[in-house]
Amino acid sequence: MKKITKQTYLDWYKDMLFWRKFEDKLASVYIQQKVRGFLHLYNGQEAILAGALHAMDLSKDKMITAYRNHVQPIGMGEDPKKVMAELFGKVTGTSKGMGGSMHIFSKEFGFYGGHGIVGGQIPLGAGIAFGDKYKGSDAVTLTCFGDGAARQGSLHEAFNMAMLWKLPVVFIVENNGYAMGTSVERTANHTDIWKLGLGYEMPCGPVDAMNPIKVAEAVDEAIQRARRGDGPTFLEMKTYRYRGHSMSDAQHYRTKDEVEEYKKIDPITQILDVIKENEYATAEEIAAIDKDVKARVNECEKFAEESPYPEIQQMYDMVYEQEDYPFIS
């Protein structure tokens, strides 16, 4: 695995803080009705993305996930201004305003969505990996989903085929404790989701996903296995989301005390503590990072605000590629 250095910690702090503040800004503009529909935020789960990106080769590896999907493409290289514009439904967005919150895509940077169908991305991720293997590439696809999606039948079909064909895919369940508002304890007679891999003799295990180092180590091992041609791995990232399932979630299923307990092991705070303990940055340098993050988020909002909405005609141009399409005038 790439060495974890002083610069790694500083980059992790800067990136995770930006992702957190980006999502906080979206929550703010959602209340102002500048972002419509559903909005699912990543607050608390940032260590998964930070650790995974450290282990990935972004020149070829890919990622696909569910609808909690705003910061992943940013981490993979997409312009955050375009992501925010997409959420605002503006023509300067990643899909020209046609995808919105739940369907962020960035083919250029290897991010394949953003899927609203629960568990729908699991076989798609296996399919992307199949394509890479078929073409002779040693690229690996990270296929992420929530604990609720782990109960979908499509998971078992994808696991079976991925093992049968030794596909270069890493299946990652981001277990944040609740499928919408239903705790993991209420969805099955077992709480160790990673054990689902045992039925397919797939290498699998739990990961402390509040710590990006633990995530990086686990994902690196899984990626190397896939690159060697030895097939998939299934990792259960044990994490926690601080906000509701979506912005409309009243969160009656958990207490404020529970949320506060998890905030004591916040991934951003953990990394900041390491930076301070090792004197990787002065108080002034940390304050400068915080100020820069705030400014960058405000730039994203300004860009999205000032961007135009798409013309009505775009809806037809994007759906019907064929210019002489005979069934619509």
Side-chain angles (χ1 to χ4, degrees):
M1 187 176 76
K2 284 179 290 188
K3 193 174 181 182
I4 295 174
T5 63
K6 165 187 171 180
Q7 192 58 49
T8 307
Y9 282 103
L10 292 172
D11 289 342
W12 275 345
Y13 177 67
K14 191 186 303 180
D15 290 342
M16 290 196 294
L17 185 64
F18 180 77
W19 302 334
R20 177 75 56 87
K21 297 302 181 184
F22 187 90
E23 296 285 61
D24 286 344
K25 176 61 73 174
L26 287 175
S28 173
V29 294
Y30 185 85
I31 292 168
Q32 300 170 50
Q33 296 188 345
K34 293 177 181 178
V35 171
R36 304 295 184 94
F38 294 101
L39 186 71
H40 308 82
L41 304 177
Y42 206 63
N43 299 42
Q45 301 181 211
E46 295 90 351
I48 300 172
L49 181 58
L53 290 173
H54 184 77
M56 295 172 73
D57 181 343
L58 295 182
S59 69
K60 55 187 173 183
D61 293 338
K62 305 171 181 70
M63 183 181 290
I64 187 171
T65 189
Y67 40 75
R68 205 176 300 280
N69 70 140
H70 313 138
V71 299
Q72 290 90 338
I74 296 171
M76 294 184 75
E78 184 56 86
D79 185 342
K81 293 196 287 289
K82 290 184 178 181
V83 175
M84 189 163 285
E86 184 62 35
L87 283 140
F88 273 63
K90 299 298 183 73
V91 74
T92 52
T94 47
S95 295
K96 298 186 178 182
M98 304 291 282
S101 168
M102 297 172 73
H103 305 283
I104 307 293
F105 277 78
S106 180
K107 185 179 178 182
E108 179 185 357
F109 293 99
F111 184 72
Y112 288 81
H115 293 269
I117 301 300
V118 177
Q121 75 278 18
I122 302 174
L124 293 179
I128 295 169
F130 175 82
D132 281 327
K133 181 165 185 174
Y134 184 79
K135 293 171 186 173
S137 167
D138 68 342
V140 177
T141 299
L142 270 61
T143 300
C144 306
F145 49 95
D147 45 281
R151 312 308 179 190
Q152 291 286 351
S154 58
L155 174 139
H156 297 278
E157 296 178 18
F159 275 21
N160 184 56
M161 295 176 85
M163 283 298 292
L164 184 64
W165 295 335
K166 288 186 164 45
L167 300 182
V169 57
V170 181
F171 295 108
I172 294 175
V173 57
E174 300 188 53
N175 180 4
N176 58 27
Y178 298 96
M180 295 184 72
T182 306
S183 68
V184 172
E185 288 82 0
R186 294 180 60 199
T187 61
N189 69 338
H190 62 91
T191 55
D192 293 321
I193 300 175
W194 62 270
K195 290 182 179 178
L196 291 174
L198 296 175
Y200 301 91
E201 297 184 3
M202 185 186 298
C204 52
V207 181
D208 171 10
M210 299 303 274
N211 185 334
I213 300 168
K214 299 292 187 185
V215 174
E217 291 170 347
V219 174
D220 180 74
E221 185 180 344
I223 285 177
Q224 296 310 321
R225 168 182 157 79
R227 254 194 251 293
R228 290 193 306 268
D230 294 336
T233 301
F234 179 38
L235 301 173
E236 180 184 354
M237 299 290 176
K238 292 181 177 289
T239 185
Y240 195 81
R241 57 170 163 79
Y242 299 147
R243 291 184 177 271
H245 171 71
S246 69
M247 285 292 290
S248 59
D249 180 5
Q251 304 182 63
H252 294 311
Y253 48 84
R254 64 180 180 182
T255 65
K256 289 182 179 178
D257 288 343
E258 178 183 305
V259 179
E260 291 305 314
E261 275 299 307
Y262 275 95
K263 285 185 177 180
K264 291 177 182 176
I265 54 170
D266 187 294
I268 299 175
T269 305
Q270 286 193 56
I271 293 305
L272 183 57
D273 286 345
V274 173
I275 291 171
K276 289 178 177 177
E277 287 165 15
N278 293 277
E279 298 181 349
Y280 288 158
T282 63
E284 291 76 18
E285 288 169 334
I286 292 169
I289 291 173
D290 297 351
K291 185 178 179 181
D292 177 64
V293 163
K294 185 176 181 180
R296 287 171 59 211
V297 171
N298 288 337
E299 282 176 17
C300 292
E301 181 186 18
K302 185 174 186 290
F303 177 81
E305 285 270 20
E306 294 176 353
S307 294
Y309 286 105
E311 298 290 334
I312 292 292
Q313 182 60 36
Q314 178 183 290
M315 180 168 62
Y316 302 101
D317 292 343
M318 293 187 75
V319 175
Y320 300 101
E321 181 69 17
Q322 185 180 330
E323 287 188 12
D324 59 345
Y325 192 70
F327 303 108
I328 190 166
S329 59

